[in-house]
Amino acid sequence: MPVIKAADLTDSVADALQYISYYHPLDYIQALAGAYEREESPAARDAIAQILTNSRMSAEGHRPVCQDTGIVTVFVKWGQGCTLDSEASLQAVIDEGVRRAYLDPANPLRASIVADPAFTRKNTRDNTPSVVHVELVPGDTVEITVAAKGGGSENKAKFKMLNPSESLVDWVMETVPLMGAGWCPPGMLGIGVGGTAEKAMVMAKESLMAPIDMAQLKARGPANDIEALRIELHDRVNGLGIGAQGLGGLTTVLDVKILDWPTHAASKPVAMIPNCAATRHAHVVLDGSGPAFLPTPDLAAWPDVAWAPDAQARRVDLDTLTPAEIETWQAGDRLLLSGRMLTGRDAAHKRIRDMLARGETLPVSFENRVIYYVGPVDPVGEEVVGPAGPTTSTRMDAFTDMMLGQGLLAMIGKAERGPAAIAAIKAHRRAYLSAVGGAAYLVSRAIRSSRVLAFADLGMEAIYEFEVKDMPVTVAVTAEGESVHATGPRVWQRPPIRAIGGA
């Protein structure tokens, strides 16, 4: 009977989490490279080039592909012939691996987990606890799949208890456009069908752990209804024209995965969870002989794509930026930003609102400044800042009018803005700029200095001042209120294909 030592399991989890923080799965890179070659939309092609370049830089530098290094989910298939040599629980043994990985001084990962989620939301500081799913299976090995899921994509998870006669395809096609681009496409869609509500959600998440094989599936043809449904949904979702980062393009999803389970005759539970451009998961097997470490991938397998600033991009000096210059920006314009900007996201915005409500003076002036929605990873060595990609901007929509009223000129984040935020931008004649989610390490190279100005106790959510040089962004909402996330997909959408029967 194999004995799995707690230390071996902990070491394996820690190694896997470090590994997936800077190495994309090779199947994702190959699929994304194919999408890059096929892409016709200049904005989407530029975004994919940034993601691919960022991936290679992260792999070479052993730094996170995304600043949001995720909430950890672990799927354990425990062979019934194995025993765990530990007085601690399996949860505790796995969490020790998470703790070590996220506090590794050579490559510290951002701690994003908060306890007491309904009230104080205090950061646990080490990204524990993880979410663990355990299944006892026949055999004498322990299979572990480790994933790290960013909040931007996890927040787009959807569930619907359909009537048995309702169409799964129709629901997916109605729901995907409502998800916006905060999940950082191109990525994957995981779908769970059947069981109960919670079973469907777990299946949707677990389906994302499977290799990307849509090209191979199309080449050989579907062998059953589920595979035919995967192909149909892949083509139909891409036909929506959402594209990379929601800017409009040919590829929104690289694959669609589906797991199903028998369900009650009165029910048809369906769950859908997207995986983002920072796809992170790894699979290891323990047999009692020691920890399982993942092999170093061959970087020659990465495509020869090196993003460079667009020669047609407009250079913008943030230190002399004026409302008059903002009025000249058009939706889809690519800009290269240089100069000083402020940062701030959820917690900082809430604190600002509370201070204003109490009549208190703010510690920072936002007059004629630009703010970047970001929570960076801590720097190491000579880094000015760690990976510092944008966070989902819609979470700041409720604060937009307030902040523009404080004199802000523009905001930078990822994905679309909601109607209220767009209305405020138009009313104040300001702008919103979109940076590429999934290019955090590349973006950090544009940051030349960093200092905390206020709310230091908020950690990565403090207000920083960055000095940047040629930071790439796209004009996403103009002073006229035109949104590229609305106009771009309309240009690239294609007529839907017919749904298969029974789905």
Side-chain angles (χ1 to χ4, degrees), residues 416-439:
E416 72 287 342
R417 303 308 296 266
I422 292 175
I425 291 168
K426 183 177 181 180
H428 289 272
R429 309 296 297 178
R430 296 302 186 245
Y432 164 63
L433 311 174
S434 177
V436 173

Side-chain angles (χ1 to χ4, degrees), residues 245-261:
Q245 304 295 302
L247 299 173
L250 300 179
T251 301
T252 304
V253 291
L254 301 171
D255 205 341
V256 176
K257 299 296 186 182
I258 303 174
L259 290 176
D260 66 346
W261 193 265

Side-chain angles (χ1 to χ4, degrees), residues 158-366:
K158 303 295 180 182
F159 174 81
K160 182 71 178 288
M161 189 65 79
L162 297 177
N163 291 322
S165 62
E166 289 184 293
S167 168
L168 180 155
V169 172
D170 288 348
W171 177 76
V172 170
M173 298 308 296
E174 291 166 1
T175 303
V176 169
L178 301 178
M179 289 161 48
W183 57 282
C184 290
M188 298 166 61
L189 289 180
I191 297 175
V193 187
T196 54
E198 79 280 5
K199 178 67 174 178
M201 292 299 291
V202 173
M203 288 192 297
K205 175 66 68 65
E206 188 170 11
S207 74
L208 292 169
M209 305 300 107
I212 295 174
D213 64 351
M214 182 55 66
Q216 296 90 323
L217 174 56
K218 287 186 174 182
R220 67 170 171 79
N224 51 52
D225 287 344
I226 288 291
E227 290 187 345
L229 181 59
R230 286 178 55 201
I231 292 172
E232 179 185 356
L233 288 174
H234 175 266
D235 292 343
R236 288 181 60 129
V237 170
N238 284 330
L240 292 170
I242 295 169
Q245 304 295 302
L247 299 173
L250 300 179
T251 301
T252 304
V253 291
L254 301 171
D255 205 341
V256 176
K257 299 296 186 182
I258 303 174
L259 290 176
D260 66 346
W261 193 265
T263 191
H264 192 285
S267 305
K268 192 175 181 179
V270 181
M272 179 166 61
I273 303 179
N275 223 5
C276 65
T279 293
R280 291 168 295 209
H281 58 82
H283 180 80
V284 296
V285 178
L286 285 81
D287 59 8
S289 63
F293 297 130
L294 293 158
T296 301
D298 182 2
L299 294 187
W302 265 245
D304 186 18
V305 176
W307 177 86
D310 185 346
Q312 304 302 314
R314 300 173 60 171
R315 282 184 155 77
V316 174
D317 185 346
L318 297 174
D319 297 327
T320 60
L321 181 62
T322 65
E325 183 176 355
I326 290 173
E327 292 275 359
T328 69
W329 293 349
Q330 302 297 310
D333 282 355
R334 288 193 283 281
L335 311 178
L336 295 172
L337 307 180
S338 296
R340 293 172 298 161
M341 64 173 62
L342 301 175
T343 78
R345 44 176 283 169
D346 310 61
H349 280 74
K350 182 180 183 302
R351 187 170 292 184
I352 290 167
R353 182 183 64 187
D354 294 344
M355 291 181 69
L356 291 174
R358 294 191 297 264
E360 299 174 4
T361 301
L362 298 181
V364 176
S365 172
F366 295 94

Side-chain angles (χ1 to χ4, degrees), residues 35-57:
Y36 175 77
E37 293 299 325
R38 295 188 299 271
E39 188 56 68
E40 299 173 14
S41 163
R45 186 174 170 86
D46 182 80
I48 296 174
Q50 288 191 46
I51 295 169
L52 287 171
T53 302
N54 180 79
S55 179
R56 175 177 282 277
M57 290 172 59

